[in-house]
Amino acid sequence: MIRQLSPAPLPAPSESTASGAGAGRPPRAEWADAAKGACIILVVSWHVIVKDYLQVDWHLGVPVPGLWGTLGEQLLPLRMPLFFTISGVFAANAVQRPWRVVARSRIARFLYLYATWLLIHTAVLAAAPGLPTDRATSASGLLEQLTVTPSNLWYLYALALYVAIAKVLRRVPPAVVLVPAAALSAVAAAGLLDTPGNRGGLYQNLVFFLAGLHLRPQIERLAATATRRRLVLTACAYALALAVMAGTGAQRWFGVWPLVSVVAVAFGVTAAARLCHRPTLGRPLARLGRTTLPVYVIHMPVLALLHGLLAAPLSGLGPAGQGLVVLGYPILLTALVIGLSLAVHRGLTAVGASWLFDLPRRRRAEPA
C-alpha cells in the first residue's frame, strides 16, 4: 500500500503556497514546485520555438534558428517525464481517498478542465489558421480529441486517466505496476504502436506518473540530499546519454528513450532542489510552479495571437533587423506568453470566471 502523503493536487491555481496555509496541512515541497515551474517554462518555450520561431522566414547566414530547435529537442526527455513524475508525487494522497472523492476532485475535475479548454482552443485556433498546431476542424475530429486522441491539452486528459489507473491498481505491488508501464513506454517510444496526435505522450509518460506516486520517498530523498557534485554528475550523465543517443541514432531503439528520460528526471529533481538553495531563482520558479494550470491552458491561444501579429513583420525584416532579435527572441516571447497568460487568468478570475479553472462546486440544498 502507498504511504500516506501530504501535498495538495498538482495544478490548482488557488493552492496554498509553500509557506502553507490551511490548518494542519503540511507545507508543500518547494523543490517540487520549482521543478513544476521549470517544466512549464520548458513547455511554453518548446511551443514558442516550433510553432512560432521556426515558422519565421529567417534569411540570415548563421544557423541560430536551427540551434534553438536542436536545444528544444534535447529537452524532450526532461520536460514531460519530470512534469508527470512531480504530478505523481503530488497525487499519492489522492489515490488513497474514497472513490467518490477521487472521482470528483481528480478524475472529473481534470476531464472537465480538458473538455472546457478543448472547446475554447478549438474556437480560438479556428481564427488562427497560420499557427501550426493540432486542432479539430470537424465534429468528428472534436469527438476524437475528446475521447481517443487528445489535443495539445493532453496533460489534463492524461492526469485523469493516470489517476484512475493508479486508484484501480493501488493495492497491487509497485513492481507489478511499474514494469508493464515501462514496457508500454518503451514500445511507444520505439514506434511499435500507432500513436497519432498526442497518444505517444500518453503511452510514454504513464510510467513516470506511477513512479512519482509509488517511489515518492525515494524521490524526496533524492531531492533532500542533492549536492553540487550530484548536480554535475547527473547533468553530465544526461548530456552523455543525449550524445550517445544522437550519435548512434538510438532514439527508436527499444528502451533507450525511457532510460534517457529516467536520467533526465534525476537531473531535473537534483537541479530543482539545488535551485531552492538560491532564493532569487528558486522562489520565483516555485511561485510559478504553483500556478501552472492557467499558463498551461491559456498559453496556446496567446501564442496564436502573438504569432499572427509578429511572424509576418519579422519575416519581412532585413538581415540587420533579424540579426538583432534572432538570438533572444524565443526567450523574450516565452516570457511574454507566460506573463500574458497569468494576466488573462487574473482578469478572468476577477470577473467571476473561476469556473474555467476548477470544477464548479455542487450547491448544497437550502434548509427549509
Side-chain angles (χ1 to χ4, degrees), residues 54-312:
L54 294 180
Q55 307 305 315
V56 173
D57 181 16
W58 298 102
H59 31 274
L60 298 167
V62 291
V64 174
L67 291 176
W68 271 111
T70 300
L71 175 62
E73 289 176 351
Q74 305 318 301
L75 296 170
L76 285 173
L78 173 66
R79 273 190 296 271
M80 298 316 293
L82 179 59
F83 220 158
F84 278 109
T85 299
I86 303 303
S87 300
V89 166
F90 280 139
N93 257 355
V95 299
Q96 298 301 322
R97 294 170 185 152
W99 261 109
R100 60 181 177 78
V101 176
V102 176
R104 176 172 173 80
S105 67
R106 292 301 180 111
I107 301 171
R109 176 173 178 254
F110 291 133
L111 289 177
Y112 164 80
L113 290 170
Y114 174 72
T116 299
W117 282 96
L118 175 60
L119 295 175
I120 294 172
H121 278 210
T122 301
V124 173
L125 294 177
L131 188 76
T133 191
D134 290 339
R135 70 193 77 210
T137 57
S138 65
S140 61
L142 181 61
L143 180 61
E144 184 179 5
Q145 289 191 341
L146 279 169
T147 53
V148 296
T149 306
S151 72
N152 289 313
L153 296 159
W154 66 277
Y155 172 72
L156 297 173
Y157 181 98
L159 282 180
L161 179 62
Y162 293 174
V163 169
I165 292 172
K167 178 64 176 172
V168 169
L169 302 177
R170 69 191 183 282
R171 300 188 186 280
V172 177
V176 177
V177 174
L178 291 172
V179 170
L184 175 64
S185 181
V187 167
L192 302 177
L193 275 178
D194 185 27
T195 55
N198 291 292
R199 269 195 237 166
L202 200 65
Y203 297 152
Q204 291 178 53
N205 287 287
L206 172 62
V207 65
F208 295 101
F209 178 85
L210 294 174
L213 190 145
H214 285 284
L215 304 180
R216 164 78 182 273
Q218 291 83 355
I219 294 170
E220 281 187 328
R221 194 174 306 120
L222 181 68
T225 60
T227 61
R228 271 183 253 180
R229 180 173 178 272
R230 187 188 297 161
L231 177 62
V232 172
L233 288 175
T234 54
C236 291
Y238 181 30
L240 180 61
L242 289 172
V244 171
M245 187 169 63
T248 59
Q251 291 92 334
R252 289 284 190 172
W253 292 4
F254 185 86
V256 169
W257 187 268
L259 184 59
V260 173
S261 295
V262 169
V263 176
V265 168
F267 162 68
V269 170
T270 303
R274 293 301 305 171
L275 277 173
C276 288
H277 291 281
R278 297 179 176 270
T280 54
L281 295 174
R283 284 177 185 169
L285 272 181
R287 190 162 52 247
L288 177 62
R290 290 186 286 271
T291 54
T292 53
L293 173 64
V295 176
Y296 182 73
V297 298
I298 295 172
H299 81 273
M300 192 66 73
V302 169
L303 179 59
L305 173 63
L306 292 175
H307 178 73
L309 293 174
L310 298 174

